[in-house]
Every structure is written in C-alpha cells, then in structure tokens.
Amino acid sequence: MPKPTPDLCYSAFSPEEMEVGLQVARVGMGTVDYVGDTLRLDDLTAHLFDLPAGEDLPRDALHARIHPDDWPQIEAEVDTLLDPDKDDVLDMTHRILTPSGTIRWVNARKKVRFNRSGDAPRPISGIFAVVDITARVEAEHREKILIGELGHRAKNLYSVILSVARQLQRYSSEEAFSDRLIRRLEALARNQNAIIKGGDRHFALTEIIRQQLLPFEGATKTRVGIHGPSVSVAPDAAQIIAMITHELVTNAVKHGALSVPDGAVAITVTLDAAADRFVFRWHERGGPAVHPPSSQGFGTKVLTSLAEVSLQCEVRADYAPDGLVYDLSAPLSRICAAATT
C-alpha cells in the first residue's frame, strides 16, 4: 500500500485537533475576502493587532496597524502577491503599532486564491498565519548590542584603567596604591561579567548603581548622591541599567561633572505604581560647559536604542549648559520584581 503524500497526512487531524495545534504553536489565523474587501481574524490574531475577532472588518483596518515605517515595503509585497503572474505565497516580517502605542514584531505568511476563469485572473480570497516574534527580535537586538558592547569596552578599557589609576594615585598613599588599584580592577571585571552574563536572581537597584561607580570611587565617593525608594530589579533590567549607568559615569569622569573637583551628580529614582512608571534621572551639576555630541557613537546607542528596545521605555538627554540631565521612563512592570518605599 503506497504511503500517503504529505498533503494527505493532514486528513488524519480533525478540525478541532488542528485548532488545538495552532493554539499550542501560538499561530494566529485570518481570512481575506478580496471581492468584499474584508477580512476576519481569530482570537489570537485579533489580540495581536488589537482588533475585533470573528467579524468582517475592512482590510484597511488591519493595514492601519502596520508600523508606518514598515508599510511601504509591506504594501509593495502585497501588490506583488496579488499579481496572478507572481508567487501566490507571501512571507513577511514587520512591526505592529497598536493605538495604545504597543509595538509588536510578527511574522506573517499569506496565500491567495485566484479566479482564473476568463481572460483576467483576479484574487478572490486569501488565508494568512501570524506568529508573534517580539521576544525573539528583542533578544536578537540585545545580543547584537552586547556583542558591540564587548568591542566598545575593549577599545575603551585601556583609557578606563588609566583613569582609575590616576584617580587612585591622587587619593592614595604610595603604599596603598597597588592594593586599591587591584580592588578597583576586580570590581570593574565584576561589572563587565554582570552586564554580559546576567543572573538568575533579582538585584537591588542601589547595588547595581554602586557597582558601576566603584571603579571610579575617588571621583564619585562623596560627589554622587543616590535618592529614591528601595527597588528590586529583574535580571534582564539589571543588565541594561548597569550598562547605562556605566556609560553615564564613564562620560562624566572623562568629560562631565566628575572630571572637575567641584562637579557632582544626583541620581534620582521615582516610582508610580498607579501609572506603572519607573523613572531614572541622572543630573550633573558644576562641571564644564556641556555640548551635545557631534555624532552618535556606540555609547549614545546604549543610552537610547538599547534602553528603548529592551525596556520599552522613553529616554531624553538634555545637554543643558550647566550639566547633562538624562531621564529614563519605563513601565514599572518591565523593571521591578518588587518595590518598597
């Protein structure tokens, strides 16, 4: 007896079993009626696009959810899909932007059926499957940033060590200098490992910040103040906040308020449980005149794009003449495992 073809194998599953399989795989489905210019979504797809499920909707309703920056490319691919002389299957990855401002990444595959009777074939229906790949895209972005961070840190490591050594020499006796330098370099190594490897526990926010300040203790011990409630930070968020703090303190020691004797930094953390907001502010005072960077280096990307993608936050850097002010505002749920005042 001949073996069944792969297509025929699907007949072994009932519609109910197929539906359960799609739910387990977290695959959303939708259908398109090109004659009526409408579409219909199942529950998962409707949730992803923030649209009603199980009812006829204008095709434009779904198109309006595609991120504006991605829409031109998607529109061109859809036009190609609806050409009867081209491939009738489409595979595309793009962002969704919901009315609430939530951004999701999805992979969608779509197949169109044509009415080929007559001289002018035309699309009559389609079916598509959607998978939420937001977590994967965010992980890939973090990995790319972390790899770049390794290169960035390697290039700057020599200057950082020199800065630490000079500060310790200024504040240490000749006899104590060697031991203090070794301790600071060990702290710097611990910081590097924490940023790259992360951990499986939660971290006190003040400890994350202090670990980043420790290698520069000569310049920061009495001139950096940390204000705000006690916060327990989830491991992924701890990595990002550690990287951001390291970048800020390094820049302050090299060029900002901590590069001169009278400069100071105030780090302020505020929580708003009702609004689900976590706010981190770095405020420099008493340093040299501040000027916006002439170009966007890797450090700027750490302070902006890495934070925005990883924490779904908003960041703002104000290069005020009297000192840099850096604000990070993120959903509390993305930052904190628990928080107490």
Side-chain angles (χ1 to χ4, degrees):
M1 183 175 181
K3 294 182 179 180
T5 64
D7 288 337
L8 293 177
C9 284
Y10 288 107
S11 63
F13 299 99
S14 68
E16 292 78 12
E17 290 172 326
M18 289 293 293
E19 182 177 355
V20 171
L22 292 173
Q23 291 175 356
V24 170
R26 300 292 295 166
V27 177
M29 300 292 294
T31 59
V32 184
D33 177 358
Y34 289 105
V35 178
D37 202 31
T38 61
L39 52 80
R40 184 175 287 249
L41 310 176
D42 70 358
D43 290 340
L44 178 55
T45 307
H47 171 73
L48 291 176
F49 284 86
D50 195 12
L51 289 168
E55 60 183 76
D56 291 335
L57 304 170
R59 288 175 60 214
D60 289 346
L62 185 139
H63 294 165
R65 294 290 194 263
I66 296 175
H67 195 287
D69 293 344
D70 296 346
W71 173 243
Q73 177 64 28
I74 299 304
E75 184 179 30
E77 293 186 15
V78 170
D79 288 343
T80 299
L81 178 69
L82 298 181
D83 185 337
D85 297 325
K86 301 289 180 62
D87 194 349
D88 62 354
V89 176
L90 176 65
D91 188 333
M92 53 189 173
T93 297
H94 62 82
R95 288 167 292 177
I96 297 170
L97 179 60
T98 68
S100 66
T102 300
I103 295 177
R104 298 187 179 100
W105 282 90
V106 298
N107 176 253
R109 292 183 61 84
K110 186 176 184 180
K111 182 176 178 61
V112 173
R113 186 166 66 91
F114 291 88
N115 182 346
R116 298 186 180 276
S117 62
D119 297 331
R122 62 187 187 279
I124 57 174
S125 65
I127 186 168
F128 58 91
V130 181
V131 178
D132 185 352
I133 60 170
T134 304
R136 189 188 80 191
V137 171
E138 290 181 352
E140 289 173 350
H141 185 85
R142 285 195 296 269
E143 181 180 359
K144 183 178 179 180
I145 291 290
L146 287 171
I147 291 173
E149 175 70 6
L150 284 173
H152 176 64
R153 292 292 174 86
K155 291 178 182 178
N156 288 332
L157 188 57
Y158 179 67
S159 61
V160 170
I161 292 173
L162 282 180
S163 177
V164 171
R166 289 191 182 111
Q167 292 168 28
L168 286 174
Q169 190 174 39
R170 186 181 308 161
Y171 294 100
S172 305
S173 67
E174 184 175 347
E175 294 76 15
F177 172 76
S178 177
D179 287 341
R180 290 186 176 182
L181 177 60
I182 290 173
R183 289 200 299 270
R184 297 308 182 273
L185 295 181
E186 288 174 343
L188 181 60
R190 289 196 300 271
N191 293 340
Q192 296 279 71
N193 289 335
I195 290 168
I196 296 169
K197 296 180 180 179
D200 57 358
R201 61 186 180 92
H202 297 99
F203 302 86
L205 179 61
T206 53
E207 183 63 21
I208 296 168
I209 295 172
R210 288 187 178 121
Q211 283 296 319
Q212 300 303 321
L213 300 177
L214 190 58
F216 307 95
E217 190 175 24
T220 66
K221 189 171 184 179
T222 61
R223 295 195 285 144
V224 177
I226 305 173
H227 313 281
S230 175
V231 183
S232 181
V233 181
D236 288 346
Q239 292 185 66
I240 306 304
I241 293 173
M243 293 173 69
I244 290 169
T245 305
H246 179 88
E247 203 63 46
L248 289 167
V249 70
T250 300
N251 290 339
V253 168
K254 288 182 178 180
H255 314 293
L258 300 180
S259 67
V260 295
D262 296 330
V265 176
I267 302 173
T268 306
V269 175
T270 56
L271 307 177
D272 187 341
D276 188 33
R277 300 311 293 175
F278 165 95
V279 179
F280 171 96
R281 165 168 283 201
W282 173 282
H283 190 178
E284 299 184 21
R285 297 185 182 90
V290 173
H291 304 283
S294 57
S295 61
Q296 187 180 61
F298 186 82
T300 304
K301 293 180 181 179
V302 170
L303 296 176
T304 55
S305 62
L306 173 63
E308 291 166 345
V309 170
S310 300
L311 303 178
Q312 291 189 355
C313 69
E314 299 172 359
V315 299
R316 183 178 67 88
D318 180 7
Y319 296 92
D322 58 342
L324 169 69
V325 180
Y326 174 84
D327 286 311
L328 182 153
S329 175
L332 191 61
S333 54
R334 292 295 295 251
I335 300 290
C336 305
T340 57
T341 56

